[in-house]
Every structure is written in structure tokens, then in C-alpha cells.
Amino acid sequence: PGARVAGTDLSFVGVYVRALLPGGAAEQSGLVEPGDQLVAVGGAPVFDATFDAAMTALATVGAAPTLEFFRGSRGELLEAVGRETKKTGTATVTVVDPSGRRREIVVQPGANLRDTLVNDGIDVYRGTTAWTNCAGHQMCGTCIVDVVDGAAATNRKSNDEEGTLNLQGCETSCRLSCVTFVYGDIEVRVRPDREGGFFGSATSGSAW
């Protein structure tokens, strides 16, 4: 369509026009400007999609997709679609412990999830891993949490993280909290049940 879209971290929500290609269809139409946000692809809303998801939607709609853009602030967009706008500059991590008790922690966007939980006195480890874990150095694979809501407001999983979780029989919504970063409101369940043992145990399928 003759527009370049902005987005470097594929997990960020919101896709914006960075520039128009000189002489391209978008520039010639006069309808699109740098800073406009992509809100729908082929009639399907993407205003709340991650950059990665929006690009996937673009790749599946053919050579001449119908694109819809919004010109204005993120707050104005959410108000236009009937969404509440949260306080700028913060995100809320709602934590559910194994007994079902809930608590909320307000963080700055980009906060590391493990550090957030541990610094607030929340135990993310099971059994002996409370003493044998790697202290957040991305080596032991034991700080597993279940992101039950808001996964799109975190960074995407790496192949290494995915493999570590799969070896332990974790649900697809589980994350290693030490490599998870929070960019919006999420809800997590700590110390979730899983089929395998802790990473490196004989029951995890990954013993050394």
C-alpha cells in the first residue's frame, strides 16, 4: 500500500505508519499520514494486536487488502472503541497464588516479571528449587508462572524458552518469569501444576 510501518519489538501492541513511500499508493491517496495507527486489516480489528500478529494478518489477506487507520492518540482510539484507558506509564500485574488469593503490583512498562514478583515477596519456585534456582540468570528453568490473562502485553517466547517449558509438560500459557517482560496489564498464577518435574530433574525429560 506504499506505507512503512513501525515496530521493532514484535511483542509491542500497536502498529503505526512510520513513513510513506514516495509515489506509492498511500501517498497518492492523501488519506494516510505518518503516525496513523493501523486498526483493521480486511475488516478484522488489529488495534489491540501485537506487531507480530498484525503482520501475520497482513500476510494472509492477499495482494490488495483493505486497511483502516486511525489518526489520534492511543487514548482517543481506545475511547472511540469503548475501552477504558489506563493510567499512562504503569502496568498492573495481578498475582494469583496456589490458594487462590489475589494481589496487585503496579510496575513500569518493561519490568522483568520474576524480579517484580520476588521483590514483592512472592515465591515463584516449587520445592527444593527455592534454594537451588539460578537467581534469575536464565539458567535453571524453574521460575515458571502461568500467564492466564494479558499474554499479548508481554514479550514473545524465544525458542529456548518454549523448549524448556515443553520439556516440563507446561501449558502453552506458561512462561519463565526471568525472561518475561511486562508492557501492560497481566494476570499470572504462580507455581502452576505441570506434568514434568523441574528442569534438570529425572522426571522432566531433561536430566543432566
Side-chain angles (χ1 to χ4, degrees):
R4 289 194 179 99
V5 293
T8 51
D9 186 329
L10 301 184
S11 67
F12 284 159
V13 171
V15 178
Y16 297 85
V17 177
R18 183 177 65 187
L20 301 181
L21 298 178
E27 183 183 64
Q28 293 182 25
S29 74
L31 299 175
V32 184
E33 295 181 1
D36 290 354
Q37 182 175 350
L38 180 65
V39 296
V41 176
V46 296
F47 66 89
D48 251 356
T50 63
F51 183 86
D52 195 25
M55 293 303 98
T56 298
L58 278 171
T60 59
V61 291
T66 299
L67 307 180
E68 298 175 41
F69 296 88
F70 181 85
R71 189 168 302 153
S73 69
R74 178 72 177 172
E76 290 169 335
L77 170 59
L78 293 178
E79 184 177 351
V81 297
R83 295 281 188 87
E84 280 189 21
T85 55
K86 65 180 183 179
K87 292 181 180 179
T88 302
T90 62
T92 300
V93 178
T94 301
V95 185
V96 184
D97 69 19
S99 68
R101 288 177 297 188
R102 301 167 65 88
R103 61 195 289 185
E104 293 185 350
I105 309 171
V106 177
V107 300
Q108 295 298 311
N112 179 270
L113 183 54
R114 178 199 173 275
D115 291 348
T116 294
L117 298 174
V118 171
N119 291 343
D120 212 64
I122 297 172
D123 184 10
V124 297
Y125 299 102
R126 295 166 61 94
T128 58
T129 63
W131 298 277
T132 61
N133 67 81
C134 69
H137 290 101
Q138 305 175 22
M139 297 171 60
C140 68
T142 61
C143 58
I144 298 170
V145 297
D146 188 0
V147 181
V148 296
D149 191 32
T154 64
N155 58 310
R156 63 191 308 209
K157 291 179 185 176
S158 68
N159 290 336
D160 285 345
E161 181 186 5
E162 188 83 55
T164 299
L165 294 168
N166 287 342
L167 280 171
Q168 299 186 80
C170 297
E171 297 291 335
T172 56
S173 54
C174 286
R175 298 294 305 267
L176 295 178
S177 59
C178 68
V179 293
T180 302
F181 296 88
V182 181
Y183 298 101
D185 297 345
I186 65 172
E187 181 174 324
V188 301
R189 187 163 55 91
V190 295
R191 305 193 299 285
D193 292 331
R194 54 190 185 273
E195 293 179 8
F198 64 86
F199 191 64
S201 72
T203 57
S204 72
S206 59
W208 53 68

